[in-house]
């Protein structure tokens, strides 16, 4: 991993390949390691930048009371330091919330964007209570029990015994307790960003898992427009980058080639 200082905090990242820049943003209690099966293929034709989001992996946490918008500002700081004018952004789960916040404020810095097992809807009241319960869980028990309870739910029930589930757990254990708590609160308080999908003229790709227990497909496919593509990946849960990376890569490459052809 490489590191860079952005506003006095460390952000860790990988930077692979050459060509048009794409950014991959992982989900909650993940890291750049979530994309390990995706990067080798994409980096053959693109410059692939994969940060550890603040509070995750090897990156420093944001301040207490941080927002999803603060995460988006950190990503803008990263591409500013690289002197990259435009990127294509793929956001998985939490990464999708950040992608939408980025697209809302900095659409001129995007060639297109994608939500991967994510949604433009805000948390329901029930989900907000779950976020707070998890904050208390981390306060009382630390990060490991949170990860042990969360990670199996990310996968299709048919896949929970696969070795990559343990890999996802190990990645989750590297999340700092403060980072997890700050992120839970930021996700709880995020707004409805369906208006971003409704108003954008950028190419958009929405990817959902057929057996996603966290964000069902109807929550991902919330807006239908000519510039918005939809893809439902069969037999996967919330983690197609592990469960069916070849299908995810195919969707991503097709989307990127379409952006290149039209723009």
């Amino acid at each position: 991993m490489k590191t860079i200082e952005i506003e006095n905090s460390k952000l860790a990242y990988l930077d692979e390949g050459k060509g048009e820049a794409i950014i991959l943003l992982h989900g909650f209690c993940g890291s750049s390691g979530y994309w390990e099966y995706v990067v080798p293929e994409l980096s053959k034709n693109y410059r692939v930048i994969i940060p550890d989001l603040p509070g995750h992996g090897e990156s420093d946490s944001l301040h207490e009371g941080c927002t999803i918008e603060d995460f988006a500002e950190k990503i803008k700081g990263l591409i500013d330091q690289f002197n990259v004018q435009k990127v294509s952004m793929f956001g998985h789960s939490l990464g999708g919330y950040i992608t939408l916040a980025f697209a809302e404020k900095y659409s001129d810095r995007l060639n297109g964007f994608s939500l991967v097992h994510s949604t433009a809807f805000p948390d329901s009241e029930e989900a907000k209570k779950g976020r707070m319960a998890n904050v208390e869980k981390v306060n009382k028990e630390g990060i490991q029990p949170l990860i042990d309870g969360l990670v199996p739910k990310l996968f299709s029930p048919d896949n929970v015994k696969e070795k990559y589930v343990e890999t996802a757990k190990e990645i989750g254990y590297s999340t700092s307790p403060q980072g997890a708590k700050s992120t839970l609160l930021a996700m709880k308080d995020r707004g409805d960003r369906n208006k971003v999908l409704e108003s954008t003229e950028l190419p958009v790709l929405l990817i959902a898992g057929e057996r996603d227990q966290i964000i069902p497909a109807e929550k991902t496919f919330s807006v239908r427009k000519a510039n918005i593509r939809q893809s439902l990946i069969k037999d996967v849960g919330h983690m197609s980058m592990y469960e069916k990376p070849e299908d995810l890569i195919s969707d991503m490459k097709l989307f990127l080639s379409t952006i290149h052809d039209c723009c």
Side-chain angles (χ1 to χ4, degrees), residues 106-123:
Y106 301 114
S107 62
D108 60 321
R109 305 296 296 274
L110 293 170
N111 292 314
F113 65 91
S114 173
L115 306 186
V116 183
H117 310 301
S118 192
T119 181
F121 285 108
D123 271 2

Side-chain angles (χ1 to χ4, degrees), residues 129-165:
K129 291 177 183 177
R131 303 284 194 203
M132 293 306 300
N134 280 329
V135 169
E136 287 305 307
K137 189 177 190 68
V138 174
N139 278 333
K140 293 178 180 179
E141 303 176 36
I143 196 71
Q144 184 165 340
L146 175 71
I147 299 305
D148 289 342
L150 169 67
V151 168
K153 298 175 185 176
L154 301 180
F155 296 87
S156 164
D158 291 339
N159 296 330
V160 292
K161 294 184 179 180
E162 297 290 342
K163 291 182 179 179
Y164 48 61
V165 177

